[in-house]
Amino acid sequence: MALFSSLTPVFIAIICVLIGVILKKTNGEKEKRETKSKPLSRPWVDEDLKDGTDHHLEEEDVDEEWQGLDENVAHVPFFAERYSEGEMIKRSQMFYELLNKRRSVRFLSDEPVPREVIDNVIRTAGTSPSGAHTEPWTFVVVQDPYLKHKIREIVEEEEEINYKKRMGDRWVNDLKRLRTNWIKEYLDTAPYLILIFKQVYGWLPNGKKKTHYYNEISVSIACGILLAALQNAGLYTVTSTPLNCGPQLRVLLQRPANEKLLLLLPVGYPKKEATVPALTRKPLEDIMVVM
Amino acid sequence: MALFSSLTPVFIAIICVLIGVILKKTNGEKEKRETKSKPLSRPWVDEDLKDGTDHHLEEEDVDEEWQGLDENVAHVPFFAERYSEGEMIKRSQMFYELLNKRRSVRFLSDEPVPREVIDNVIRTAGTSPSGAHTEPWTFVVVQDPYLKHKIREIVEEEEEINYKKRMGDRWVNDLKRLRTNWIKEYLDTAPYLILIFKQVYGWLPNGKKKTHYYNEISVSIACGILLAALQNAGLYTVTSTPLNCGPQLRVLLQRPANEKLLLLLPVGYPKKEATVPALTRKPLEDIMVVM
């Protein structure tokens, strides 16, 4: 009894420590599960693109101060060109027919394309709206063959790992019908590569960070306008998202840390032997609901 | 001594429980801090839009099985129209001039717009590329005055809270020069409201969930093409992101749970007395880098 009584505190201590350890471990596992479950959800999201995770660390120290944007912008009358109803219908129909000819083309020739056209399509992309008019985009146009080849090396190396390991069987299978793989010849042959960076924040004249509201949506909208401009000019591309290549390409192209690669567009003419998968688009009634 | 000895286990037990509670609390606070720090980072991201947080819960149970998409899609020759270099330069220049006239217009008249034009611009948006050709978009066109007014009530109520509480002084200030506030008259007057939903996942013929890769970027690109189509037709809009209204608007418009509101575009003609802020766009050399 004396022995038992003197051991009691030791037992209780051991039990309590065990309970403590178990509680701590349960929490730890819960955290791990939470962290682990995220990549599962959006396997296609580049770590470098997730400004919800990497960016908040940088932004937390931003003071809630004025951005210093000029409040006293004059508001001026706006006069818009008016077309007749018949003309509107005709114009909208013709524009649909033009854009409906667009296809993602993975076989691009090395034929040169006038630089002036590239300047114009990027000027056009720059007319896009953006959150609080922050214009958070940088279009890097690569025409240098050495740089294009370097980009190809980086992309192919990462893409091979993506296809073999990161993407998972389902995704790889979903891409089979498009016959995509990690070999990207167009990165060498296309006369231009346009790499589109989103600026996740900017800088104010006073040196403080400037918030770029909705920067990913804004830059994606600008890319939609860029695609329309390319199609209008008779140029072709394939919209690609080089998973996990962002940081390496950013460093190669000497872009600052506030810029994250969103899309890579090889631009040129289709090769004579170019093919496309015989896909169709959803009809209007499957994408539009009128109420 | 006997009293002390019999109390020892009790003391030790109390101390251990206290240690356990402290350990648990520390973890809890750590979790809270982590959860809290995110909204700080991207205050403009609607909770309902963050599929990185809400969506992973729904997706975790998706098996890594084939999507069941047909692998045996034929690949067919692709023939693209070719313009002369001079024609390309001219076309790209004219398209830039057309799109450069686009402005976000917050004063829209109630004049009717032909439905055929709306059909055509949405058909055009539907030509957009998407991750693995999933076409993850739904365009809800609202013309019913009662529904438009209901939408206005929901948006104005949330926007007032956004402006007064959620957005923070800095953001509100950044919007001052655009003279935006929570009063959205255009939601009543515009003949059409186009609400663009991203389908964060879809359904396979076998009833299983279908992954929609890069759905937010894809739908935003489609919106860029939609904006180009509207401008080409002589129609005006303002790209709006109704913060925190997504769930209510989704229920009002009877959209399924896999659809999340991305953008709301009121569409029509500018009012005669419409004004726009006298903003300029960045010149080409500020948005393009050639290497």
Side-chain angles (χ1 to χ4, degrees), chain A residues 215-251:
Chain A
N215 58 73
E216 185 165 306
I217 297 176
S218 301
V219 181
S220 302
I221 289 174
C223 286
I225 293 178
L226 178 61
L227 291 179
L230 287 170
Q231 178 64 17
N232 174 71
L235 291 175
Y236 284 81
T237 187
V238 51
T239 318
S240 78
T241 44
L243 192 65
N244 291 310
C245 304
Q248 286 180 79
L249 294 177
R250 185 176 71 72
V251 170

Side-chain angles (χ1 to χ4, degrees), chain A residues 15-40:
Chain A
I15 290 163
C16 290
V17 166
L18 279 176
I19 292 170
V21 167
I22 288 163
L23 279 174
K24 177 126 181 83
K25 219 184 155 189
T26 316
N27 266 349
E29 272 171 14
K30 204 175 139 198
E31 272 171 45
K32 247 192 224 161
R33 259 206 315 281
E34 278 170 8
T35 323
K36 267 197 173 170
S37 71
K38 282 207 175 156
L40 264 180

Side-chain angles (χ1 to χ4, degrees), chain A residues 7-263:
Chain A
L7 277 182
T8 311
V10 179
F11 277 125
I12 295 179
I14 291 170
I15 290 163
C16 290
V17 166
L18 279 176
I19 292 170
V21 167
I22 288 163
L23 279 174
K24 177 126 181 83
K25 219 184 155 189
T26 316
N27 266 349
E29 272 171 14
K30 204 175 139 198
E31 272 171 45
K32 247 192 224 161
R33 259 206 315 281
E34 278 170 8
T35 323
K36 267 197 173 170
S37 71
K38 282 207 175 156
L40 264 180
S41 67
R42 299 170 79 193
W44 60 88
V45 174
D46 199 314
E47 283 305 309
D48 195 51
L49 273 177
K50 284 200 268 179
D51 45 65
T53 52
D54 60 348
H55 185 209
H56 78 278
L57 296 171
E58 296 164 13
E59 271 219 327
E60 257 172 89
D61 57 335
V62 177
D63 314 325
E64 275 297 323
E65 279 187 34
W66 302 141
Q67 295 251 37
L69 297 173
D70 185 9
E71 284 177 44
N72 300 314
V73 169
H75 283 238
V76 294
F78 181 69
F79 303 106
E81 211 163 332
R82 271 294 282 265
Y83 307 117
S84 71
E85 290 204 351
E87 213 174 334
M88 288 176 77
I89 293 172
K90 197 178 140 203
R91 285 180 68 93
S92 62
Q93 175 69 27
M94 281 174 64
F95 193 66
Y96 164 64
E97 281 165 19
L98 172 73
L99 285 215
N100 197 31
K101 287 182 194 150
R102 190 201 58 76
R103 291 298 307 260
S104 291
V105 176
R106 291 170 178 83
F107 305 91
L108 296 170
S109 83
D110 57 2
E111 250 183 293
V113 163
R115 242 301 292 284
E116 205 176 331
V117 176
I118 301 299
D119 290 0
N120 282 338
V121 294
I122 289 174
R123 259 192 204 102
T124 311
T127 67
S128 180
S130 55
H133 193 56
T134 44
E135 303 173 276
W137 38 66
T138 306
F139 299 89
V140 180
V141 176
V142 178
Q143 51 184 7
D144 177 67
Y146 171 80
L147 267 182
K148 285 198 289 179
H149 192 69
K150 270 276 164 216
I151 291 170
R152 179 175 177 178
E153 279 175 5
I154 291 169
V155 172
E156 288 189 345
E157 193 180 315
E158 289 297 325
E159 282 283 273
E160 186 169 356
I161 306 171
N162 291 337
Y163 272 81
K164 290 184 173 167
K165 291 183 185 165
R166 295 186 190 121
M167 287 159 55
D169 290 343
R170 188 168 49 154
W171 189 4
V172 170
N173 186 71
D174 288 349
L175 288 173
K176 256 189 197 158
R177 61 191 193 142
L178 306 177
R179 292 195 199 157
T180 62
N181 59 26
W182 58 89
I183 309 297
K184 313 279 182 190
E185 204 194 38
Y186 55 67
L187 295 174
D188 268 329
T189 57
Y192 298 100
L193 305 181
I194 304 180
L195 292 99
I196 297 125
F197 288 84
K198 58 174 192 175
Q199 300 163 358
V200 294
Y201 56 87
W203 300 103
L204 292 168
N206 64 9
K208 286 184 185 279
K209 282 184 182 177
K210 180 181 160 196
T211 309
H212 282 179
Y213 311 100
Y214 299 103
N215 58 73
E216 185 165 306
I217 297 176
S218 301
V219 181
S220 302
I221 289 174
C223 286
I225 293 178
L226 178 61
L227 291 179
L230 287 170
Q231 178 64 17
N232 174 71
L235 291 175
Y236 284 81
T237 187
V238 51
T239 318
S240 78
T241 44
L243 192 65
N244 291 310
C245 304
Q248 286 180 79
L249 294 177
R250 185 176 71 72
V251 170
L252 177 72
L253 301 173
Q254 300 169 22
R255 301 311 306 158
N258 64 327
E259 297 191 3
K260 310 279 180 193
L261 183 66
L262 188 71
L263 292 166

Side-chain angles (χ1 to χ4, degrees), chain B residues 264-281:
Chain B
L264 191 170
L265 305 184
V267 170
Y269 303 106
K271 274 187 177 170
K272 280 203 185 74
E273 64 273 27
T275 60
V276 291
L279 298 174
T280 52
R281 296 192 171 111

Side-chain angles (χ1 to χ4, degrees), chain A residues 9 12-13 16 27 37-38 41-42 44 51 56 59 62 65-67 70-71 73-78 80-83 88-89 91-93 95-96 99 101-102 111 115-116 119-120 122-124 126-129 132-133 135 138-144 169-171 173-174 176-177 179 211-214 216-217 220-221 224-225 227 229 232-236 239 241 253 255 269 274-278 280-282 287-291, chain B residues 9 12-13 16 27 37-38 41-42 44 51 56 59 62 64-67 70-71 73-78 80-83 88-89 91-93 95-96 99 101-103 111 115-116 119-120 124 126-129 132-133 135 138-144 169-171 173-174 176-177 179 211-214 216-217 220-221 224-225 227 229 232-236 239 241 255 269 274-282 287-291:
Chain A
I12 295 179
C16 290
N27 266 349
S37 71
K38 282 207 175 156
S41 67
R42 299 170 79 193
W44 60 88
D51 45 65
H56 78 278
E59 271 219 327
V62 177
E65 279 187 34
W66 302 141
Q67 295 251 37
D70 185 9
E71 284 177 44
V73 169
H75 283 238
V76 294
F78 181 69
E81 211 163 332
R82 271 294 282 265
Y83 307 117
M88 288 176 77
I89 293 172
R91 285 180 68 93
S92 62
Q93 175 69 27
F95 193 66
Y96 164 64
L99 285 215
K101 287 182 194 150
R102 190 201 58 76
E111 250 183 293
R115 242 301 292 284
E116 205 176 331
D119 290 0
N120 282 338
I122 289 174
R123 259 192 204 102
T124 311
T127 67
S128 180
H133 193 56
E135 303 173 276
T138 306
F139 299 89
V140 180
V141 176
V142 178
Q143 51 184 7
D144 177 67
D169 290 343
R170 188 168 49 154
W171 189 4
N173 186 71
D174 288 349
K176 256 189 197 158
R177 61 191 193 142
R179 292 195 199 157
T211 309
H212 282 179
Y213 311 100
Y214 299 103
E216 185 165 306
I217 297 176
S220 302
I221 289 174
I225 293 178
L227 291 179
N232 174 71
L235 291 175
Y236 284 81
T239 318
T241 44
L253 301 173
R255 301 311 306 158
Y269 302 106
T275 60
V276 291
T280 52
R281 296 194 170 110
K282 288 180 183 170
I287 66 169
M288 182 170 85
V289 177
V290 182
M291 305 186 96
Chain B
I12 294 178
C16 290
N27 268 348
S37 71
K38 284 208 175 159
S41 67
R42 299 171 77 194
W44 60 89
D51 43 66
H56 79 277
E59 272 219 326
V62 176
E64 273 298 323
E65 277 188 35
W66 304 141
Q67 294 251 38
D70 186 8
E71 285 178 43
V73 168
H75 283 239
V76 293
F78 181 70
E81 212 164 332
R82 271 295 282 266
Y83 308 117
M88 287 175 78
I89 293 172
R91 285 179 68 92
S92 62
Q93 174 69 26
F95 193 67
Y96 164 64
L99 285 215
K101 287 182 195 149
R102 190 201 58 75
R103 292 297 307 260
E111 250 182 292
R115 242 302 290 286
E116 206 175 330
D119 290 1
N120 282 338
T124 311
T127 68
S128 180
H133 193 56
E135 302 173 277
T138 307
F139 299 89
V140 180
V141 176
V142 179
Q143 51 186 7
D144 176 68
D169 290 344
R170 189 169 48 154
W171 190 2
N173 186 70
D174 288 349
K176 254 186 199 160
R177 59 190 193 143
R179 291 196 198 155
T211 309
H212 282 178
Y213 311 100
Y214 299 103
E216 184 166 307
I217 296 176
S220 302
I221 289 174
I225 293 177
L227 291 180
N232 173 72
L235 291 175
Y236 284 82
T239 319
T241 45
R255 300 312 306 157
Y269 303 106
T275 60
V276 291
L279 298 174
T280 52
R281 296 192 171 111
K282 288 181 184 172
I287 65 169
M288 181 169 86
V289 177
V290 182
M291 305 185 96

